[in-house]
């Protein structure tokens, strides 16, 4: 398998940031040789949350997968976005009856990329165990992907680090979002 270059962006906060990313991303992808772009866009709408206009800007602008987090359901059209746009995912540890999915497998030609979104529970909403939720997806998707990426949307950097250690050797890329500090 050839080398795959992954570009990760996050957190995109507000419509101005979505406009900026959309205006620059295709050139950045070309310059960096990015094969896939994963972007946390859960705050791309005015205020916070997601809306169709700004999610569409990010997808049209070069994002392949948009992850979200605790603000995903703040706007009225979030439910239909998650049901209609397979490349926009919500944390996988939300209840199963929540709209959308917590992961997606993207075929980027040279390989299949599994992208998972999970939310931490320390100082956050009381959701299902993040590690077990991700393990269920890894088990269900076994053999269906070549590369795996995990966005840990969490308040505590220690929880993000714990996920990275727990999935060492099982997930290729683990990154953290939410605190608006790169982790």
């Amino acid at each position: 398998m050839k080398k795959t270059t992954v570009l990760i962006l996050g957190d995109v906060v507000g419509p101005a940031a979505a406009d900026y990313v959309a205006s620059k991303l295709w050139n950045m992808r070309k310059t960096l040789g990015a094969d896939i772009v994963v972007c946390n866009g859960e705050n791309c709408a005015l205020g916070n949350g997601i809306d169709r206009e700004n999610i569409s800007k990010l997808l049209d602008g070069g994002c392949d997968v948009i992850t979200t987090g605790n603000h995903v359901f703040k706007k009225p059209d979030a439910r239909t976005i998650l049901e209609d746009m397979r490349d926009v995912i919500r944390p996988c540890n939300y209840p199963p009856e929540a709209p959308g999915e917590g992961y997606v497998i993207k075929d980027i030609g040279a390989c299949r990329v599994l992208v998972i979104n999970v939310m931490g529970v320390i100082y956050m909403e009381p959701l299902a165990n993040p590690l077990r939720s991700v393990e269920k997806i890894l088990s269900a998707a076994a053999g269906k992907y070549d590369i795996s990426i995990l966005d840990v949307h969490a308040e505590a950097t220690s929880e993000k680090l714990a996920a990275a250690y727990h999935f060492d050797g099982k997930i290729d890329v683990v990154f953290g979002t939410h605190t608006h500090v790169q982790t």
Side-chain angles (χ1 to χ4, degrees):
M1 182 170 61
K2 83 170 194 76
K3 177 182 104 174
T4 301
T5 302
V6 178
L7 175 60
I8 296 171
L9 304 174
D11 300 11
V12 174
V13 180
D19 288 340
Y20 183 80
V21 168
S23 72
K24 303 289 184 189
L25 187 53
W26 283 114
N27 279 338
M28 184 180 285
R29 281 185 78 140
K30 183 177 178 185
T31 300
L32 298 174
D35 299 300
I36 184 169
V37 176
V38 178
C39 172
N40 182 282
E42 78 138 352
N43 288 310
C44 67
L46 188 60
N48 57 24
I50 60 173
D51 63 14
R52 192 168 296 273
E53 177 184 358
N54 289 294
I55 288 292
S56 295
K57 279 182 203 173
L58 292 172
L59 291 169
D60 293 343
C63 295
D64 295 298
V65 177
I66 298 176
T67 60
T68 58
N70 59 307
H71 295 147
V72 66
F73 296 111
K74 296 283 183 180
K75 300 292 183 192
D77 55 348
R79 174 176 292 278
T80 59
I81 291 167
L82 290 167
E83 290 170 348
D84 297 346
M85 298 179 161
R86 182 70 181 110
D87 296 330
V88 181
I89 58 176
R90 53 131 173 104
C92 64
N93 52 336
Y94 269 104
E97 54 274 357
E101 297 292 334
Y103 74 99
V104 66
I105 298 174
K106 291 289 293 183
D107 186 335
I108 61 169
C111 65
R112 299 161 299 167
V113 181
L114 170 66
V115 181
I116 306 171
N117 190 187
V118 72
M119 197 160 84
V121 293
I122 298 173
Y123 308 121
M124 304 281 281
E125 297 171 39
L127 298 177
N129 181 298
L131 302 179
R132 287 193 181 103
S133 297
V134 172
E135 287 170 349
K136 286 179 186 175
I137 292 170
L138 291 174
S139 178
K144 299 176 185 171
Y145 64 92
D146 305 299
I147 297 171
S148 52
I149 300 171
L150 173 63
D151 174 0
V152 183
H153 192 81
E155 188 72 36
T157 55
S158 58
E159 192 170 21
K160 297 171 192 179
L161 188 57
Y165 280 124
H166 183 80
F167 293 112
D168 185 26
K170 299 176 188 171
I171 295 180
D172 300 297
V173 178
V174 178
F175 70 100
T177 58
H178 176 69
T179 52
H180 305 174
V181 175
Q182 294 77 13
T183 52

